[in-house]
């Protein structure tokens, strides 16, 4: 479920509610996006800014004072993970690509520690568009932790090559029924969608 299951009443993208909702429909995993603030706090949000506030340049207090569309405050990663601990779904953890690569590196180290402290190591798949973050996640995450690099969207033929190499392939963000069917037929391992209920129905068929 891309940014959680948010196309449902009372939910919003990357809200804690969207995580609870994704869990309630039995998806493989609930995806969410993480940034580090200027004062070294990890928070959950998709865009790099909220209104005029650029997350990388703002404090956590400024960011978490902002409201999501469902009235929740923007969650910290810690709040999000505490909610996840009570649930079963896998956590598809996207670390966003930061302008400040030193901060991004710090974010990798902090998030790995937090996941470990909360004993969620075995429930997390990491994804990122940032090559340096990807490399560091592979180096520092516990052995066997799935880490996926988001690239190759102009190369659907890479799916085959990945499988030849024993790698898994994820496709995003697929929302139309005919496109979902194409991905199913192609044999992608993961399909990231804003329409998880539709996809589940299709997979059951
Ligand atoms: Mg994402």
């Amino acid at each position: 479920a891309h940014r959680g299951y948010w196309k449902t009443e009372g939910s919003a993208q990357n809200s804690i509610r969207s995580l609870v909702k994704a869990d309630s429909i039995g998806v493989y995993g609930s995806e969410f996006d993480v940034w580090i603030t200027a004062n070294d706090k990890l928070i959950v949000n998709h865009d790099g800014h909220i209104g005029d506030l650029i997350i990388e340049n703002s404090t956590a207090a400024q960011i978490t004072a902002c409201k999501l569309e469902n009235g929740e405050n923007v969650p910290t990663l810690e709040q999000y993970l505490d909610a996840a601990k009570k649930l079963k779904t896998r956590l598809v953890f996207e670390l966003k690509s930061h302008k400040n690569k030193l901060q991004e590196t710090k974010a990798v180290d902090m998030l790995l520690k937090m996941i470990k402290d909360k004993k969620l190591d075995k429930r997390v798949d990491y994804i990122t568009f940032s090559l340096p973050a990807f490399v560091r996640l592979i180096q520092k995450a516990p052995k066997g932790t799935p880490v996926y690099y988001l690239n190759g969207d102009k190369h659907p033929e890479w799916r085959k090559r990945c499988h030849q190499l024993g790698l898994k392939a994820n496709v995003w963000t697929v929302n139309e029924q005919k496109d979902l069917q194409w991905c199913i037929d192609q044999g992608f391992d993961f399909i990231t969608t804003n329409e998880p209920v539709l996809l589940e129905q299709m997979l059951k068929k």
Side-chain angles (χ1 to χ4, degrees):
H2 181 237
R3 305 180 197 170
Y5 179 31
W6 52 271
K7 282 191 166 186
T8 183
E9 207 181 323
S11 194
Q13 295 187 4
N14 277 313
S15 63
I16 287 174
R17 186 78 183 150
S18 75
L19 171 66
V20 172
K21 281 287 181 183
D23 183 75
S24 78
I25 58 169
V27 292
Y28 164 83
S30 189
E31 191 261 2
F32 59 101
D33 305 285
V34 173
W35 290 92
I36 188 167
T37 62
N39 63 332
D40 300 344
K41 298 280 188 250
L42 297 166
I43 63 103
V44 178
N45 196 63
H46 179 265
D47 292 346
H49 62 92
I50 300 175
D52 292 336
L53 291 174
I54 296 169
I55 296 174
E56 285 189 68
N57 302 339
S58 304
T59 64
Q62 286 175 296
I63 298 301
T64 57
C66 300
K67 297 276 184 196
L68 298 173
E69 274 184 25
N70 67 347
E72 274 180 45
N73 287 73
V74 173
T76 63
L77 179 62
E78 180 145 43
Q79 290 167 336
Y80 200 87
L81 295 180
D82 286 342
K85 274 188 75 93
K86 299 174 198 138
L87 308 170
K88 287 271 178 285
T89 193
R90 288 191 69 82
L91 303 170
V92 181
F93 188 129
E94 179 175 350
L95 180 64
K96 300 307 288 187
S97 195
H98 290 65
K99 280 215 175 74
N100 184 332
K101 292 299 172 191
L102 283 176
Q103 279 296 94
E104 187 182 272
T105 299
K106 196 184 277 179
V108 172
D109 295 352
M110 285 177 61
L111 73 87
L112 287 172
K113 183 174 186 307
M114 194 181 287
I115 291 285
K116 181 168 184 272
D117 290 347
K118 295 195 183 290
K119 300 187 171 61
L120 288 166
D121 299 89
K122 294 197 166 58
R123 267 180 60 197
V124 180
D125 292 2
Y126 293 105
I127 59 174
T128 185
F129 283 93
S130 164
L131 187 56
F134 170 71
V135 170
R136 194 166 183 90
L137 281 164
I138 295 224
Q139 288 170 336
K140 301 274 177 175
K143 202 165 183 292
T145 303
V147 185
Y148 300 99
Y149 184 39
L150 299 175
N151 202 337
D153 55 323
K154 302 288 192 294
H155 294 275
E157 75 280 7
W158 287 4
R159 198 273 311 155
K160 251 191 199 137
R161 187 71 185 128
C162 282
H163 283 166
Q164 284 166 355
L165 292 167
L167 301 171
K168 291 189 173 173
N170 163 32
V171 63
W172 78 97
T173 304
V174 187
N175 301 320
E176 297 292 331
Q177 187 155 359
K178 66 173 186 349
D179 299 332
L180 288 166
Q181 191 59 52
W182 184 86
C183 295
I184 294 168
D185 295 342
Q186 289 288 310
F188 280 98
D189 303 283
F190 305 102
I191 302 173
T192 309
T193 182
N194 293 333
E195 302 290 350
V197 175
L198 172 63
L199 177 58
E200 283 184 330
Q201 285 165 357
M202 292 172 70
L203 286 169
K204 271 184 198 135
K205 278 189 202 152

